[in-house]
């Protein structure tokens, strides 16, 4: 284990920081596509964006296997140390996945999408991206949105949006996605209708 | 003038004070101590520990005192405390064949290796109210042999050797057992979860269901193969050590019920088992549990499922007295809104009825 | 223990952090699958099952020190159960509490939705006794789960239609079945059907907690919630011939109160906050 990394601190105040982080994520899930700010900057390894680190530290534990796209040892050690989460050997075994490279990332169907009787037993993907904007981009609609929202995510291949449309079509099964850019997040639950 | 139920806050505080006073009773009489409860009401303590799912005689005694002896309330208090405790490890399975026996009987064999050991039991006390006890009397010491008997092989193992008793081995991937206090029960539940549920289930509920199986509702032709009670060692394997260490000793009651099984297309006729285990000296509970466990195996053994005691969802969803007591008693809470809605509806229906529309709603 | 400050020896909001994480993850999935009942590892709470343990666990998992909490039972802040739950949160979190729906960031409720419209950013937490709408039609969980997976709700329609055949209308007045986002049949908890229209496209996040039954479900903001009905028998809410005798409201759900031994009745708002606000406004206008 890379103890230097593992021993950098987690959240300043686990109780009060994690409620703020959770509320930001819940708010993002409840208003798909709308960019929210996550207020916590744990001193995590550089490969982890602040919001991704904060979300992992707030929501992961021994019950949530995490899949790392590039198996980054520094990230794995840090999160194993602070969360006690096991690392998933394959995407399908993961409750959470951390994706750091949008060009080579696997499609949502590679992950556990739950089963029709238990659609909640499905993965949540944290996708780190180069930028997020509500000024333009794909059009989003569905639960949580009174009117359509536009979301531009840097570096997402066109094919991925089509895969997210298929993910939506398989409701109630599916994965839920949280795009992360620095301290900002935008969520795409499976209910969201994506129009490219 | 109508006053909404204002002043609820003060009413609650007053109710707390009244309760404390009622609990204490006559202040001229010495207050009962936890040690007295633990030492002299031990079977009550055991039941509260069993259904409270927490082996701690001191806290169980406190719960009994706080609940004024209301056992279901005491179980609830202990459970609510248990929730706040961290879950540090899963112990290794306790080995009841290595039990330090206080009592051990078999109804199926006249004698068994290790012998029949009556131990302390109400079974043959003749249930005459003992008026000497009302004044307190010194107790003569019991014969020493009743304590610390050697470990004895269990009867199920002895019968297994002949193939008479269906083999029961843990599944190949017998990982850490599921924990119904942390994961919600989903159906169908495996046997491990079923036994966990029954072990903390209400004794009265299991007793009634077990009794019903004896009267034909899901009959299983039971024999009390073996009942044993005594102390067992609890061990855990800490991640960082990699070997087992002893963390303590608990007293349990275990019942192996042996039941007829006519056989199926794949299985020869043989005996099958119902299993009961409870904290403390809780023999009635362990026996009832074993009857219900076996009855619930009807589906697995290809028997017709016709009685409540054979229906897993029915039994496991209703066995917990903390859940049952809460939901039954929640009827005390205000239901003004639902009731008002029903009142409106009933008036409407009656108006229609008396207007001659009768029940022929199609007239609208 | 000082009853007015945080209770010692327990974590913020009573639950340990692991339990909160588990509930929070369940809530996130519930938001992502509107109307679907997410099983969760419900804990024993220091209040009895059936008295709001599901709502309390949900509130405990979402509440932060900056929140302002309102707790109502039957629409009122002053009923003993509401008082008791509010006291629990004051003792375990030290958060500010309020009676005003508009001032609250979190509203925990049993059997009502406030008359004051909710706004974006608010969270309303419902206490749910029985989460499964199909339970009276099919007691087995294993079966109802299949029916939900297939969105197969014929049995529910038949039940409602039998009402119509028998009474001329649907004889369900509270806990009236709804379809969420055109997929899941959902039990709105025992709110009067009067409140059902408030579920639809509500700007607030609606969370439902069933502690004894160990289920959490959600309706995200701006989500379609349709009360089941038939073309020739459209859904209708209760109406009164009275107005509230305290504030004069003609648009609120009314409680009927027996005021003397002769059985005289009066009708008053079930929502005590709404009623008080209206009376205060009237008083100010007169002054």
């Amino acid at each position: 284990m890379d103890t230097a990394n593992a021993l950098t601190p987690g959240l300043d105040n686990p109780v009060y920081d994690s409620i703020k982080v959770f509320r930001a994520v819940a708010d993002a899930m409840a208003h798909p596509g709308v960019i929210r700010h996550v207020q916590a900057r744990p001193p995590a390894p550089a490969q982890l964006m602040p919001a991704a680190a904060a979300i992992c530290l707030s929501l992961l534990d021994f019950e949530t296997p995490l899949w790392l796209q590039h198996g980054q040892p520094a990230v794995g050690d840090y999160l194993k140390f602070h969360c006690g989460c096991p690392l998933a050997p394959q995407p399908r075994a993961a409750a959470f996945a951390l994706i750091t490279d949008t060009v080579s990332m696997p499609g949502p169907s590679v992950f556990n999408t739950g089963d029709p009787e238990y659609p909640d037993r499905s993965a949540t993907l944290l996708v780190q991206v180069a930028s997020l904007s509500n000024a333009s981009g794909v059009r989003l609609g569905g639960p949580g949105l009174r009117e359509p929202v536009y979301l531009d995510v840097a570096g997402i291949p066109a094919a991925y949006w089509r895969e997210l449309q298929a993910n939506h079509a398989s409701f109630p099964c599916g994965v839920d996605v949280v795009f992360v850019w620095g301290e900002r997040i935008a969520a795409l639950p499976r209910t969201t209708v994506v129009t490219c | 003038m109508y006053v909404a139920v204002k002043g609820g806050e003060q009413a609650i505080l007053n109710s707390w004070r009244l309760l404390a006073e009622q609990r204490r009773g006559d202040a001229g009489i010495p207050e009962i101590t936890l040690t007295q409860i633990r030492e002299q009401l031990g079977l009550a303590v055991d039941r509260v520990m069993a259904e409270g799912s927490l082996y701690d005689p001191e806290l169980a005694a406190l719960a009994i005192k706080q609940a004024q002896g209301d056992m279901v309330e005491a179980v609830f208090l202990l459970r609510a405390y248990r929730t706040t405790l961290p879950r540090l490890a899963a112990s290794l399975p306790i080995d009841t064949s290595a039990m330090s026996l206080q009592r051990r009987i078999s109804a199926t064999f006249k004698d068994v290796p290790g012998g029949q050991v009556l131990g302390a039991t109400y079974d043959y006390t003749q249930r005459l109210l003992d008026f000497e006890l009302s004044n307190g009397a010194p107790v003569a010491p019991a014969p020493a042999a009743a304590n610390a008997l050697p470990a004895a092989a269990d009867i199920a193992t002895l019968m297994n050797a002949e193939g008479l008793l269906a083999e029961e081995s843990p599944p190949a991937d017998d990982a850490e057992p599921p924990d119904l206090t942390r994961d919600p029960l989903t159906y169908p539940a495996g046997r491990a979860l079923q036994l966990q549920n029954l072990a903390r289930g209400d004794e009265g509920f299991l007793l009634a269901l077990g009794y019903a199986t004896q009267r034909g509702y899901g009959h299983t032709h039971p024999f009390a193969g073996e009942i044993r009670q005594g102390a067992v060692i609890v061990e855990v394997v800490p991640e960082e050590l990699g070997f087992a260490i002893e963390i303590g000793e608990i007293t349990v009651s275990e019942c192996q019920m042996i039941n007829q099984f006519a056989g199926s297309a794949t299985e020869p006729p043989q005996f099958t088992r119902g299993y009961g285990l409870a904290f403390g000296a809780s023999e009635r509970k362990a026996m009832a549990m074993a009857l219900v466990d076996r009855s619930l195996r009807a589906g697995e053994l290809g028997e017709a499922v016709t009685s409540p005691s054979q229906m897993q969802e029915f039994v496991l969803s209703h066995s917990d007295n903390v859940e049952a007591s809460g939901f039954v008693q929640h009827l005390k809470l205000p239901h003004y809104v639902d009731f008002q809605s029903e009142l409106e509806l009933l008036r409407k229906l009656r108006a229609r009825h008396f207007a001659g529309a009768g029940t022929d709603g199609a007239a609208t | 223990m000082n009853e007015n400050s945080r209770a010692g020896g327990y974590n913020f909001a009573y639950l340990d952090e692991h339990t909160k994480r588990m509930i929070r993850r369940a809530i996130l999935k519930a938001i992502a699958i509107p109307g679907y009942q997410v099983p969760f590892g419900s804990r024993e709470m220091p209040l009895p099952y059936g008295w709001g343990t599901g709502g309390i666990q949900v509130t405990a998992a979402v509440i932060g020190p900056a929140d302002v909490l309102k707790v109502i039972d039957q629409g009122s802040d002053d009923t003993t159960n509401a008082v008791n739950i509010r006291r629990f949160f004051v003792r375990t979190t030290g958060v500010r509490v309020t009676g005003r729906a508009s001032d609250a960031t979190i509203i925990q409720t049993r059997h009502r939705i406030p008359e004051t419209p909710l706004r974006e950013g608010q969270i309303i937490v419902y206490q749910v006794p029985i989460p499964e709408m199909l339970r009276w039609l099919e007691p087995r969980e294993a079966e109802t789960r299949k029916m939900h997976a297939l969105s197969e709700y014929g049995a529910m329609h038949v039940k409602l239609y039998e009402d119509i055949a028998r009474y001329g209308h649907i004889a369900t007045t509270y806990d009236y079945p709804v379809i969420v986002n055109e997929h899941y049949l959902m039990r709105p908890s025992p709110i009067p059907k009067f409140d059902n229209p408030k579920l639809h496209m509500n700007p607030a996040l609606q969370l439902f907690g069933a502690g004894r039954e160990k289920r959490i479900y959600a309706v995200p903001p701006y989500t379609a919630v349709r009360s089941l009905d038939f073309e020739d028998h459209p859904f209708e809410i209760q109406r009164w011939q009275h107005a509230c005798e305290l504030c004069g409201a003609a648009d609120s759900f009314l409680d009927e109160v027996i005021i003397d031994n002769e059985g005289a009745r009066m009708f008053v708002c079930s929502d005590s906050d709404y009623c008080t606000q209206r009376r205060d406004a009237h008083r100010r206008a007169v002054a």
Side-chain angles (χ1 to χ4, degrees):
Chain A
M1 184 186 275
D2 179 344
T3 39
N5 260 322
L7 294 181
T8 56
L11 295 170
D12 261 0
N13 186 323
V15 173
Y16 296 104
D17 286 345
S18 58
I19 179 59
K20 275 190 278 187
V21 174
F22 163 73
R23 284 285 280 274
V25 178
D27 200 27
M29 275 289 177
H31 301 91
V34 180
I35 297 168
R36 303 289 182 190
H37 187 242
V38 174
Q39 297 175 45
R41 290 185 63 99
Q47 299 100 318
L48 265 178
M49 288 183 174
I55 291 171
C56 289
L57 293 170
S58 302
L59 290 175
L60 269 53
D61 57 30
F62 64 92
E63 294 180 324
T64 51
L66 170 71
W67 183 76
L68 297 172
Q69 186 190 6
H70 292 301
Q72 298 93 328
V75 174
D77 288 347
Y78 178 79
L79 293 177
K80 272 194 295 187
F81 178 78
H82 286 291
C83 309
C85 59
L87 295 183
Q90 291 93 28
R92 194 163 291 279
F96 283 81
L98 179 75
I99 289 165
T100 39
D101 175 10
T102 52
V103 177
S104 65
M105 69 178 154
S109 63
V110 170
F111 296 91
N112 185 359
T113 56
D115 79 64
E117 291 181 23
Y118 291 96
D120 58 303
R121 296 178 182 172
S122 51
T124 302
L125 314 184
L126 304 176
V127 182
Q128 296 191 162
V129 300
S131 76
L132 287 171
S133 162
N134 283 139
S136 61
V138 295
R139 198 170 84 124
L140 307 178
L145 298 174
R146 186 175 44 179
E147 49 203 27
V149 158
Y150 292 86
L151 180 66
D152 187 38
V153 186
I156 297 289
Y160 196 77
W161 288 115
R162 285 195 295 278
E163 287 172 309
L164 284 177
Q165 287 171 332
N167 180 60
H168 167 74
S170 66
F171 188 88
C173 294
V175 299
D176 307 299
V177 177
V178 179
F179 293 114
V180 179
W181 171 46
E183 295 176 36
R184 292 184 165 69
I185 59 170
L188 218 66
R190 67 194 76 180
T191 45
T192 304
V193 184
V194 179
T195 313
C196 296
Chain B
M1 179 53 204
Y2 166 67
V3 185
V5 207
K6 288 267 182 198
E9 180 109 24
Q10 196 52 48
I12 288 174
L13 287 175
N14 292 344
S15 163
W16 286 10
R17 293 198 189 101
L18 283 169
L19 185 64
E21 192 178 277
Q22 187 192 70
R23 178 190 299 126
R24 179 59 183 87
D26 182 346
I29 292 170
E31 188 171 345
I32 194 169
T33 67
L34 299 192
T35 319
Q36 285 171 335
I37 294 172
R38 200 189 62 213
E39 292 299 315
Q40 298 175 37
L41 296 175
L43 297 184
V45 168
D46 286 351
R47 180 170 176 191
V48 170
M49 292 197 302
E51 291 167 28
S53 291
L54 183 68
Y55 197 96
D56 189 324
E58 201 67 31
L59 288 180
L62 173 59
I64 291 167
K65 177 176 178 177
Q66 190 175 330
Q68 299 178 64
D70 177 340
M71 300 301 272
V72 176
E73 181 67 25
V75 168
F76 180 18
L77 289 169
L78 202 58
R79 289 266 195 97
Y81 175 76
R82 181 193 191 279
T83 307
T84 65
L85 301 176
R87 184 177 183 279
L88 299 175
S91 76
L92 294 176
I94 55 170
D95 181 3
T96 53
S97 68
M99 180 185 285
S100 153
L101 291 170
Q102 293 156 3
R103 170 166 164 79
R104 189 275 191 109
I105 55 166
S106 169
T108 50
F109 296 99
K110 191 169 179 184
D111 201 4
V112 284
Q116 302 259 20
V117 180
L118 201 52
T121 174
Y122 280 89
D123 287 350
Y124 306 103
T125 53
Q126 302 181 355
R127 269 71 174 204
L128 298 174
L129 269 180
D130 179 357
F131 295 106
E132 277 186 27
L133 201 57
S134 62
N135 296 321
V139 178
N147 299 319
L149 293 152
D154 65 275
I155 286 159
T157 310
L158 299 173
M159 288 181 69
N160 256 346
E162 211 186 326
L164 291 175
L165 187 62
E167 197 66 60
E168 278 181 28
S169 34
D173 58 340
D174 191 30
E176 192 172 301
D179 180 351
L180 63 75
T181 69
R182 308 212 70 99
D183 294 309
L185 201 54
T186 51
Y187 296 106
R191 183 112 180 264
L193 269 181
Q194 173 172 307
L195 289 169
Q196 264 180 51
N197 175 288
L198 298 178
R200 65 191 335 233
D202 182 75
E203 179 174 319
F205 176 76
L206 295 182
L207 183 66
L209 276 181
Y211 174 48
T213 69
Q214 292 178 283
R215 295 192 64 261
Y217 289 89
H219 190 42
T220 58
H221 307 271
F223 297 97
E226 180 168 4
I227 295 163
R228 50 172 68 199
Q229 179 196 310
V232 291
I233 287 163
V234 181
E235 294 174 306
V236 299
V237 180
E239 198 77 49
E240 59 275 25
L241 291 185
F243 55 86
I245 56 164
E246 184 181 328
I247 57 165
E249 197 182 73
I250 60 173
T251 295
V252 295
S253 301
E254 182 189 51
C255 174
Q256 302 263 9
M257 205 62 89
I258 294 173
N259 307 265
Q260 274 181 21
F261 174 53
S264 66
T266 54
E267 299 292 325
Q270 57 194 331
F271 288 117
T272 54
R273 245 186 296 181
Y275 185 73
L277 184 84
F279 284 157
S282 305
E283 189 168 283
R284 186 194 302 118
K285 161 74 179 276
M287 292 180 73
M289 174 176 166
L291 288 176
V292 176
D293 171 51
R294 173 57 184 82
S295 193
L296 286 174
R297 297 179 62 200
E300 164 204 343
L301 295 168
E303 297 165 341
V305 173
T306 53
S307 298
S309 65
Q310 297 168 311
M311 298 171 183
Q312 191 186 53
E313 274 209 47
F314 178 86
V315 174
L316 302 194
S317 299
H318 302 120
S319 63
D320 192 289
N321 57 22
V322 179
E323 291 175 10
S325 165
F327 201 49
V328 166
Q329 296 204 64
H330 107 286
L331 292 172
K332 290 183 280 196
L333 291 180
H335 286 79
Y336 317 138
V337 169
D338 337 8
F339 187 72
Q340 188 63 47
S341 300
E342 288 294 275
L343 212 52
E344 290 295 311
L345 176 67
L346 192 62
R347 285 183 181 137
K348 212 157 112 187
L349 294 178
R350 284 172 62 84
R352 286 175 57 84
H353 178 81
F354 291 117
T359 55
D360 180 15
T364 50
Chain C
M1 187 188 330
N2 180 350
E3 283 151 16
N4 297 316
S5 67
R6 277 272 307 283
Y10 290 103
N11 193 21
F12 178 82
Y14 180 77
L15 298 174
D16 61 279
E17 289 303 301
H18 170 256
T19 300
K20 286 186 196 167
R21 268 196 304 275
M22 174 272 295
I23 296 174
R24 287 169 185 167
R25 291 194 298 258
I27 291 172
L28 292 178
K29 286 299 171 191
I31 296 171
I33 317 169
Y36 165 76
Q37 302 163 45
V38 181
F40 80 110
S42 177
R43 304 290 194 251
E44 263 112 6
M45 299 298 286
L47 278 79
Y49 281 123
W51 298 55
T53 54
I56 292 167
Q57 288 180 80
V58 169
T59 298
V62 304
I63 200 166
D67 279 307
V68 180
L69 179 69
K70 172 180 167 75
V71 181
I72 50 172
D73 187 340
Q74 314 294 302
S76 163
D77 301 86
D78 295 313
T79 46
T80 43
N81 195 44
V83 169
N84 200 28
I85 292 171
R86 188 162 52 242
R87 284 178 61 85
F88 173 77
F89 281 111
V90 169
R91 287 174 77 182
T92 57
T93 68
V95 299
R96 281 201 296 137
V97 292
T98 181
R100 297 179 72 135
S102 48
D103 291 347
T105 56
I106 298 174
I107 300 172
Q108 179 167 329
T109 180
R110 177 168 171 267
H111 297 192
R112 278 308 310 275
I113 302 176
E115 310 288 5
T116 309
L118 303 179
R119 57 182 160 71
E120 215 170 291
Q122 284 183 313
I123 298 175
I124 179 165
V125 179
Y126 298 79
Q127 299 173 202
V128 180
I130 306 269
E132 180 51 72
M133 193 78 246
L134 298 164
R135 190 55 75 231
W136 311 148
L137 303 172
E138 170 52 71
R140 290 167 299 178
E141 169 78 12
E143 293 303 314
T144 52
R145 210 155 258 288
K146 284 185 201 132
M147 293 158 85
H148 284 298
L150 301 168
S151 221
E152 174 50 69
Y153 301 130
M156 194 74 228
H157 283 98
V158 169
K159 191 254 167 206
L160 295 181
Y161 209 82
E162 281 171 358
D163 273 7
I164 293 174
R166 183 148 180 232
Y167 306 116
H169 53 84
I170 293 170
T172 297
T173 54
Y174 63 93
D175 222 341
Y176 189 103
V178 296
I179 294 278
V180 180
N181 194 33
E182 290 305 318
H183 186 100
Y184 281 105
L185 179 68
M186 187 188 91
R187 198 160 179 151
S189 85
I191 57 171
K193 67 177 182 175
F194 178 88
D195 284 342
N196 271 27
K198 300 174 189 164
L199 295 161
H200 177 66
M201 297 303 276
N202 195 311
L205 172 60
Q206 304 179 72
L207 301 176
F208 298 77
R212 195 179 35 78
E213 299 280 339
K214 304 170 178 62
R215 298 289 184 273
I216 286 172
Y217 50 103
V219 175
Y222 307 116
T223 297
V225 179
R226 175 169 62 81
S227 300
L228 283 190
D229 63 357
F230 298 94
E231 244 171 58
D232 48 344
H233 285 91
F235 173 78
E236 283 176 346
I237 61 170
Q238 292 109 320
R239 305 234 172 259
W240 283 261
Q241 286 154 2
H242 315 260
C244 170
E245 287 175 47
L246 296 178
C247 76
D251 58 353
S252 68
F253 188 89
L254 299 181
D255 276 343
E256 178 176 336
V257 185
I258 304 175
I259 50 173
D260 62 27
N261 288 343
E262 277 65 58
R265 305 286 212 268
M266 80 184 275
F267 287 83
V268 296
C269 287
S270 120
D271 184 335
S272 54
D273 167 47
Y274 184 71
C275 198
T276 308
Q277 304 292 335
R278 282 180 51 89
R279 277 181 285 157
D280 287 351
H282 179 72
R283 220 170 285 139
R284 276 196 302 274
V286 170

